[in-house]
Amino acid sequence: MFVLVNLKTYPCDPVAVAEAVRDVNESTDARVAVAPQAAHLERVAETGAETWAQHVDPIDYGSNTGHTLAETVAEAGAVGTLINHSEQRLKLADVDGAVEAAERADLETVVCANNPAQIGAAAALGPDAVAVEPPELIGTGTPVSQADPDIVEDAVEAAQAVDADVSVLCGAGISTGDDVVAAGDLGSEGVLLASGVAKADDPTAALEDLVAPL
Amino acid sequence: MFVLVNLKTYPCDPVAVAEAVRDVNESTDARVAVAPQAAHLERVAETGAETWAQHVDPIDYGSNTGHTLAETVAEAGAVGTLINHSEQRLKLADVDGAVEAAERADLETVVCANNPAQIGAAAALGPDAVAVEPPELIGTGTPVSQADPDIVEDAVEAAQAVDADVSVLCGAGISTGDDVVAAGDLGSEGVLLASGVAKADDPTAALEDLVAPL
Amino acid sequence: MFVLVNLKTYPCDPVAVAEAVRDVNESTDARVAVAPQAAHLERVAETGAETWAQHVDPIDYGSNTGHTLAETVAEAGAVGTLINHSEQRLKLADVDGAVEAAERADLETVVCANNPAQIGAAAALGPDAVAVEPPELIGTGTPVSQADPDIVEDAVEAAQAVDADVSVLCGAGISTGDDVVAAGDLGSEGVLLASGVAKADDPTAALEDLVAPL
Amino acid sequence: MFVLVNLKTYPCDPVAVAEAVRDVNESTDARVAVAPQAAHLERVAETGAETWAQHVDPIDYGSNTGHTLAETVAEAGAVGTLINHSEQRLKLADVDGAVEAAERADLETVVCANNPAQIGAAAALGPDAVAVEPPELIGTGTPVSQADPDIVEDAVEAAQAVDADVSVLCGAGISTGDDVVAAGDLGSEGVLLASGVAKADDPTAALEDLVAPL
């Protein structure tokens, strides 16, 4: 299982969470990574944790102000990027452009979407993975694997029908190891996490609990 | 072949073009329709021409100001709608929502996209048809069927791979009957037209020329 | 006082509400107008009611698909338009462009904004009027004139400081004649209404109640 | 004069340009600063150059993915931020929210706009400064101070009319010291630069030329 901890713009110490991610990654069969804010990428990558960007723009080098360039996040140490997170929804043409930009910079790509139909659409754009996150469950503490298991299975089916090489992750409300196991049982190859780890008093303990049943 | 004349916000007489569309539709095997501005839908539909909306929003009845409701355009006489035209690009989630809204109102749907990858994505959202329009050719007078025939064939292949029930149209630069025939030879089941008819001194003659070789 | 009834995309009969607006307008000193969806503009204007658009785009005649052209809504019978409603927020440059487009088509303009600072900004763009609508009160039934009277007075002050020729309206939660009177006492020269009239079983009675104390 | 070098997403070495900015700033009466990409803020600030962000989002700590938080760029070493650059245009409400977010984080603010009307609007939101950049001149090498001197004077007048405490900068096409002097003569208290310095083979020499006549 791939466990990606999205730090969003939470008031956490990104280096401390990154060190927890790095340490737990070394002690488990799961693959654990962290996605900090762009301004924290370099310091987070220096911890040795697997580092992801939260977003890249569908742009190239040039006259773009306030944008996130795939090459820049790659040079800062990111090895992958989220695209089209529900808090950063892009136009269809720009999801395509962002996947292309990320691939140009050798970033692994996870395109997020809300439901199985959109997951199929995202898979058609050729990312490495897609992630289904029902917006109504994000931040609720109610795991998608319990609240809406069909959506995960349908997302896996939708992605497979379009491109069998695209992995499917899921997110929203996942906070325990049982949730992660349940997600895996539904066909998910990974999970997106956020507040459960980022806001934990002890991120290492929170992550260890999450990967313990794997 | 399906020939859809998009009137955009051109300074044309929408009723005159609609009458031309209606008349030519009756005299040819092709299916010819017209997409006026929202404020012109009722008057255009009253001509008896097949009438389409240029856009619907991913909304339902409710608190939406300045939006285009699928049910409203259907009641005004539209039988179909463009979605995600390159001049009205939507977020991926909103393309999905607009297709859903259109289907709720029994509108036929054509989702536009720029390239074969996006066409595959659009097809995964379950519209009746998709339309590939390379943005760099729109308004050029250089037909996509000549300038970039591969993009049409690749779009047909991409849509078929995702959902064999989704028709593929193409657009950009089409202004003659030969262009329409060439589009059909590449696998396209229809074309999107705009200025060639909307700005013609004699829209009926322009349309007759377009459908003559069909 | 100016009373503008925004029909949004409510499931109401726009012609019936327009007739109520027309009739009540004739029987009161207040000026009462109605803003239907774009596809309903012509039929609404034909009632003789003062008709407004809910939105115009910052565009001119040309290649714009799914947009609302100021000239088109003016020809359909609108005499004014809302711009930047909280359900149709525009980029700063596009608020400017929409005001310019509306003026080009001789439409009266009301630019909406959330708070006094934005009201000052909107006034600087030279519209005929601005309207302050605290988003958190829209649709609540709690009138802005009671819930947050300071915001109305501060909006009037902010607009006056920038351009004394710009009128100030207010909206959000207004549903009774007392609310309208209270808005006027705070310096507002008009109110934006929506569900209170649009969803009323008897729009004429609802409007008569609203203007009775004026 | 304030000279702000916007590095956009140019393929330059941000640290090398920052060192040039720092060195030239120490040798001139002008105030020279640099605005790198978010991922470069920390390394650029460590050079000792005055460091600015290119953009901040209208958000607070919380569930925001792929956004730029004002507090984060401030902690990374930025002392100010551009807002609403023509390559990153924001909704009116979001320009207001971004100014508020920046002030919360003690960042100096420069709100960009296209023309004098929008400059007045931007000034009404209470930033420290506004910057007029006619989009049609950006990247042309034709300085705004020559191509359209009226726009600078009108912008100064528009800002002064709204809030005399708001400074006015200008940008677009400025590449020589004479351009900077001309901008100052028109009432501008600073200039935005980009490619002229960022893409120079010798950024220090380019900057020295720019500030030499001051």
Side-chain angles (χ1 to χ4, degrees), chain A residues 41-63:
Chain A
L41 281 167
E42 290 195 359
R43 277 199 293 140
V44 161
E46 280 166 10
T47 64
E50 181 179 327
T51 303
W52 280 56
Q54 295 180 8
H55 165 72
V56 296
D57 279 299
I59 57 164
D60 206 334
Y61 286 105
S63 293

Side-chain angles (χ1 to χ4, degrees), chain A residues 94-170:
Chain A
D94 290 339
V95 179
D96 184 33
V99 168
E100 194 180 326
E103 289 177 349
R104 199 184 59 215
D106 284 327
L107 293 171
E108 201 173 327
T109 49
V110 172
V111 177
C112 303
N114 298 343
N115 59 35
Q118 291 170 34
I119 284 290
L125 299 172
D128 296 299
V130 291
V132 61
E133 289 199 297
E136 64 276 17
L137 296 180
I138 294 179
T140 57
T142 304
V144 61
S145 44
Q146 273 184 30
D148 199 353
D150 287 354
I151 210 174
V152 180
E153 290 185 313
D154 292 349
V156 171
E157 195 177 327
Q160 293 286 311
V162 168
D163 184 344
D165 291 337
V166 174
S167 304
V168 178
L169 316 181
C170 67

Side-chain angles (χ1 to χ4, degrees), chain B residues 51-138:
Chain B
T51 302
W52 280 55
Q54 294 180 9
H55 166 71
V56 296
D57 279 299
I59 57 165
D60 206 334
Y61 285 106
S63 294
N64 310 288
T65 295
H67 291 73
T68 304
L69 179 66
E71 280 81 357
T72 297
V73 304
E75 283 163 21
V79 299
T81 187
L82 294 174
I83 291 172
N84 196 46
H85 189 276
S86 69
E87 294 155 8
Q88 188 70 255
R89 280 179 178 166
L90 303 182
K91 295 180 181 179
L92 170 57
D94 290 339
V95 179
D96 183 33
V99 169
E100 194 180 327
E103 290 178 349
R104 199 183 58 214
D106 283 327
L107 293 170
E108 201 173 325
T109 48
V110 172
V111 177
C112 303
N114 298 344
N115 59 34
Q118 292 171 33
I119 284 290
L125 299 172
D128 295 300
V130 292
V132 62
E133 288 200 298
E136 64 277 16
L137 296 179
I138 293 179

